[in-house]
Amino acid sequence: MTDLPSTSATDVDLDGDPTEVVAAVWAEALGLDTVDPDAGFFDMGATSATVVGVVRVLRRRWPGIKIVDVFAHPTVGQLAAFLGDG
């Protein structure tokens, strides 16, 4: 069984610009210092388990986010634009 990422709201500040928040959550989940906002989540090494962990964290700010949203908006820039501030 694959372990889920250890990312939690205490690891990443969920306040602020949506692009910065999504990038920080993705970087933490992927074990990277930074992520390219135009790179695909799965191209950076994410797995289905990573998506589950990322969505769990992002729901603390955006309760309506679904796993399918990450697949439909696979870059930081696309997902942040989709989520916006609401």
Side-chain angles (χ1 to χ4, degrees):
M1 183 168 154
T2 303
D3 292 330
L4 295 177
S6 63
T7 303
S8 71
T10 59
D11 296 323
V12 176
D13 182 4
L14 297 175
D15 294 323
D17 177 71
T19 300
E20 293 175 9
V21 171
V22 173
V25 171
W26 285 21
E28 180 72 21
L30 295 168
L32 303 172
D33 291 331
T34 61
V35 295
D36 177 349
D38 298 316
F41 192 49
F42 293 99
D43 294 335
M44 291 185 279
T47 64
S48 296
T50 312
V51 173
V52 171
V54 162
V55 168
R56 182 181 308 141
V57 173
L58 292 176
R59 277 187 181 150
R60 294 182 182 175
R61 172 154 175 195
W62 294 285
I65 189 174
K66 298 176 181 135
I67 290 171
V68 69
D69 296 331
V70 177
F71 287 92
H73 310 282
T75 70
V76 167
Q78 291 170 349
L79 187 59
F82 170 75
L83 294 171
D85 284 320

